[in-house]
Amino acid sequence: MRRDIFQAIADPTRRAIITLIALQAMTPNAIAEHFDTTRQAVSKHLRILTECELIKQEQKGREIYYQLEIEKMKEIDKWLEQFRAIWETRFNQLDNLLTDLNGKKKK
Amino acid sequence: MRRDIFQAIADPTRRAIITLIALQAMTPNAIAEHFDTTRQAVSKHLRILTECELIKQEQKGREIYYQLEIEKMKEIDKWLEQFRAIWETRFNQLDNLLTDLNGKKKK
DNA sequence: AATATACGCAACCTTTTGGTTTCTCAAAAT
DNA sequence: ATTTTGAGAAACCAAAAGGTTGCGTATATT
């Protein structure tokens, strides 16, 4: 069973859950109300998200509040870093090209 | 058949392919040499990546070079944006807290 | 004490995924 | 002209994903 962040965010429902609880912790029932599935299905998604440590639980009486581990989200950002370097380079190349063209014009 | 970027980058082999061809276009055979699978398996991954427009092909004789569509990668970045806002806010809150503590110390 | 609620867990089912093997076709090499 | 090489397409398969229903248990409510 592969369980990493990229796997976790592949599912659109899970991405929606992440967005939903990003600002405030919620219980499985409360979350399920936002979707067109059963609580159990949501519960499964929550388990997957928990297993890859994207969310954490906090028990309050018989209710369990799920909260986003925002720090973990940075791992995606970290992976993107290598490509960001490329698209910024592309931008710089364009920039240089424009500068060169300007230079030629001025000559 | 769901075919979006998040789905595409969920597979570790596909992420590796993306990284591999990020800097220079490669043929399926050349790509497959880097992995422990058959060319056909790689070919399937390439098809999925092509379908969600993360890569594009360029035919040269009987060889097909696959190249990363770096622009498409920005869509992931775009999704992350909402969370970046949160983790920067958290940082600011911490910053404010530290400032407050400093203020109290100074009093 | 009895009932209702919140939740996780397990069993089960269907569809999707990731892979392999085989086939075909077009371009290159001999 | 024949053979080799690069590559997509199709058929097939095992494993995983995503969902459902049913059950057990702990906490609240009455």
Side-chain angles (χ1 to χ4, degrees):
Chain A
M1 215 180 298
R2 211 175 58 225
R3 203 109 294 177
D4 58 83
I5 323 180
F6 295 99
Q7 171 67 16
I9 63 164
D11 185 88
T13 304
R14 282 199 292 271
R15 284 202 301 282
I17 290 176
I18 290 173
T19 301
L20 193 59
I21 65 172
L23 294 174
Q24 59 170 355
M26 292 177 78
T27 64
N29 266 323
I31 295 169
E33 277 172 17
H34 287 78
F35 300 99
D36 201 21
T37 44
T38 57
R39 178 188 57 80
Q40 279 84 348
V42 169
S43 219
K44 270 194 164 188
H45 285 306
L46 291 174
R47 193 158 60 85
I48 290 169
L49 292 170
T50 304
E51 278 171 13
C52 70
E53 295 177 300
L54 254 171
I55 62 175
K56 65 181 174 191
Q57 321 173 8
E58 197 184 342
Q59 187 115 22
K60 276 193 179 172
R62 68 179 162 179
E63 291 181 328
I64 299 177
Y65 285 84
Y66 286 87
Q67 191 183 359
L68 184 62
E69 283 275 26
I70 193 81
E71 280 298 312
K72 193 73 177 180
M73 296 293 290
K74 290 189 185 175
E75 282 191 23
I76 304 165
D77 199 56
K78 208 173 139 195
W79 183 72
L80 271 188
E81 204 61 43
Q82 57 184 319
F83 305 105
R84 194 168 296 121
I86 295 172
W87 76 56
E88 276 165 10
T89 301
R90 291 273 163 86
F91 177 76
N92 286 340
Q93 283 171 353
L94 180 64
D95 202 42
N96 290 341
L97 180 68
L98 292 176
T99 312
D100 284 1
L101 287 175
N102 260 343
K104 277 182 185 169
K105 259 188 194 172
K106 279 179 184 170
K107 266 178 196 168
Chain B
M1 216 178 298
R2 208 175 60 224
R3 204 111 292 179
D4 59 83
I5 323 180
F6 294 99
Q7 171 68 16
I9 63 165
D11 184 86
T13 304
R14 281 198 292 270
R15 284 201 303 281
I17 290 176
I18 291 173
T19 301
L20 193 60
I21 64 172
L23 294 175
Q24 58 170 355
M26 292 176 79
T27 64
N29 265 322
I31 295 169
E33 277 172 17
H34 286 78
F35 300 99
D36 202 22
T37 44
T38 57
R39 178 187 58 79
Q40 279 83 350
V42 169
S43 216
K44 270 194 163 187
H45 285 305
L46 290 174
R47 191 158 62 84
I48 290 169
L49 292 170
T50 304
E51 275 172 8
C52 72
E53 296 176 299
L54 253 172
I55 63 177
K56 65 180 174 193
Q57 321 173 7
E58 196 183 343
Q59 187 115 20
K60 276 192 180 173
R62 67 178 163 181
E63 292 183 327
I64 299 177
Y65 285 84
Y66 285 87
Q67 190 184 0
L68 184 62
E69 282 276 26
I70 193 80
E71 280 298 312
K72 193 73 176 181
M73 295 294 289
K74 290 189 186 174
E75 281 189 24
I76 303 164
D77 199 56
K78 207 173 139 195
W79 184 71
L80 272 187
E81 204 60 43
Q82 58 185 317
F83 304 106
R84 194 168 295 121
I86 295 172
W87 76 56
E88 275 165 11
T89 301
R90 291 272 163 85
F91 176 77
N92 286 340
Q93 283 172 354
L94 180 64
D95 201 43
N96 290 340
L97 181 67
L98 291 175
T99 311
D100 283 2
L101 287 175
N102 259 342
K104 277 182 184 171
K105 260 189 192 170
K106 280 179 184 169
K107 268 178 196 168

